[in-house]
Amino acid sequence: MGFSDYRTALVTGASSGIGAATVRRLSAEGLQVYAVARDAARLSALSAETGCHACAVDISDLDALAALAKSAEFDVLVNNAGQSRRGNILDTTPEDVDALIDVNLRAVLHLTRLIVPGMARRDLGHVVNISSIAGHYAFGGGNTVYHATKAGIHSLSQQLRVDLYGTRVRVTEISPARVETEVFGRLLGDLAEAKRRFFDDYDSLQPEDIANSIAFAVGSPARMNVAFLEVLPTQQVVGGLNFAQKSRPPAE
């Protein structure tokens, strides 16, 4: 297996960042890519650039996903779309919980349910799930619901390999650390401020780095399943140890 065995791909979150970079990379490898996102104007521009099929779809719309899944026999599914929010479980809202679960987890489960059985029947296919280091590590400043949804993607990826045992359908989870995308700008409501705070002084990953990681996994020979890739900037580490001091009574 590899690019020569695949004809079609579906990429979610395709209007910018990792998704758009992946559409470009897979299109360059000769795949017919269905690019899925809500921003019709950006998808139109990406289609003019790459020849991809622009699919202006809200992935929280189950009927739209079902129709999309019937539009082609997909050989490659890249579950990339994701959202985050500021704050943690102590101050999150019901709307934030529902939105993150709908986009980050529910849509992935439904697209997997709708598309992967066809791969199994054809004994050919590749599922790529974009998770996050937030699904594997706890750290300050992370949104609790986001962490939980990405942990769900990790569990899904592991279980999906069990479900597909005996077929040639491969499953890859790619877990990036900080990537320079618009997600941070949306969190702050200011792209320039996000660039200053999160990227100007750091050598962060670029969307193309993750797209190239996807291409490495998908283009690998049939005998090889790249099950998990954790991709970090060279200067970023995960983990660490914090120890809060005991509370002391105020001085008199």
Side-chain angles (χ1 to χ4, degrees), residues 76-142:
V76 178
L77 170 62
V78 181
N79 286 309
N80 164 70
Q83 294 185 5
S84 189
R85 294 292 190 275
R86 300 180 75 177
N88 57 41
I89 202 67
L90 302 179
D91 56 13
T92 197
T93 67
E95 293 77 17
D96 286 346
V97 171
D98 290 345
L100 293 183
I101 290 175
D102 281 350
V103 173
N104 295 2
L105 188 55
R106 178 176 175 270
V108 175
L109 288 166
H110 278 308
L111 277 174
T112 302
R113 173 184 66 82
L114 290 164
I115 291 174
V116 173
M119 294 180 177
R121 286 193 297 271
R122 297 191 302 275
D123 197 28
L124 181 73
H126 202 133
V127 180
V128 179
N129 292 327
I130 306 300
S131 61
S132 166
I133 61 168
H136 311 285
Y137 306 98
F139 47 81

Side-chain angles (χ1 to χ4, degrees), residues 131-156:
S131 61
S132 166
I133 61 168
H136 311 285
Y137 306 98
F139 47 81
N143 180 277
T144 312
V145 183
Y146 180 80
H147 280 243
T149 59
K150 291 303 183 178
I153 296 303
H154 174 63
S155 181
L156 166 65

Side-chain angles (χ1 to χ4, degrees), residues 183-222:
V183 169
F184 292 88
R186 296 190 193 107
L187 284 175
L188 298 183
D190 186 332
L191 289 173
E193 174 61 16
K195 185 175 185 302
R196 183 195 67 78
R197 184 183 302 185
F198 295 109
F199 301 115
D200 283 352
D201 295 329
Y202 304 94
D203 287 324
S204 299
L205 296 170
Q206 297 300 307
E208 292 75 17
D209 299 327
I210 307 305
N212 288 334
S213 299
I214 293 169
F216 167 69
V218 174
S220 295

